[in-house]
Amino acid sequence: MHIVDGALSNPVVIGGAVLAIGGLAQGLRHLPMEKIPAAGVLSATFFVASLIHVPIGPSSVHLIMNGLAGLVLGWAAFPALFVGLLLQAVFFGFGGLTVLGVNTLVIAAPAVMVGLLLGPRVQAGSQRSAAVWAAIGGGAAIALTTAFVAAALALTGDEFLPAAKLVFVAHIPVMVVEALLTGAAVYLAKQVKPELFDNLQEVPQ
């Protein structure tokens, strides 16, 4: 899911960086002190999960768990996922520094979208219904991420269209796995710590 250095055109890289900076600023404003431990755990979860690559044809796939991050953190998923991507780029060379903004945008923006759309349903629902909505959110976050990656590649040039299609098809199994894992995680969390999904705090002034 990581886009590598040199794969995108300069306008796409710059545009992605600008949008990612806006997302990070908004995310930091929505990160109260009590959410920082959860942000750290979810950042580490993303970091570890996306290190495990499974080869599929000429490509490889990995888990992201950005749907869960969005449901728990809302806008604060932006800084949490950014930290994980930055550490991966620095220590393992995944993605790259020049495309860090784009990679942050394509992974964190779907997380925020899922959190805003489905977070209230998870927060207000019973343990079982929350798990169902979370599963939908987990799969949807991966689908949106692959769509955003495909869009970034397509905006760079028509020659990347086959790669864009491959990205989506290769991640269909990941959508299913992430849906199951996200649903299971929320089912357990709603039982032991339901306040974890209270991401409707007012923005600090």
Side-chain angles (χ1 to χ4, degrees), residues 58-136:
S59 181
S60 64
V61 299
H62 56 78
L63 299 177
I64 300 177
M65 302 305 294
N66 56 338
L68 181 61
L71 291 172
V72 175
L73 300 174
W75 274 103
F78 254 97
L81 295 171
F82 169 78
V83 169
L85 283 165
L86 176 62
L87 293 175
Q88 288 181 346
V90 171
F91 292 111
F92 299 100
F94 290 172
L97 294 177
T98 63
V99 290
L100 184 58
V102 175
N103 281 329
T104 300
L105 181 67
V106 301
I107 292 176
V112 172
M113 293 169 66
V114 166
L116 294 178
L117 291 174
L118 300 182
R121 295 182 181 274
V122 170
Q123 180 182 353
S126 65
Q127 189 176 355
R128 183 171 297 179
S129 67
V132 172
W133 284 114
I136 294 172

Side-chain angles (χ1 to χ4, degrees), residues 7 31 43 50 61 77 95 100-101 106 136 157 186 201:
L31 182 60
S43 181
S50 56
V61 299
L100 184 58
V106 301
I136 294 172
V186 168
Q201 297 90 349

Side-chain angles (χ1 to χ4, degrees), residues 169-185:
V169 173
H171 280 82
I172 290 177
V174 179
M175 297 176 200
V176 176
V177 173
E178 292 242 2
L180 295 173
L181 289 177
T182 304

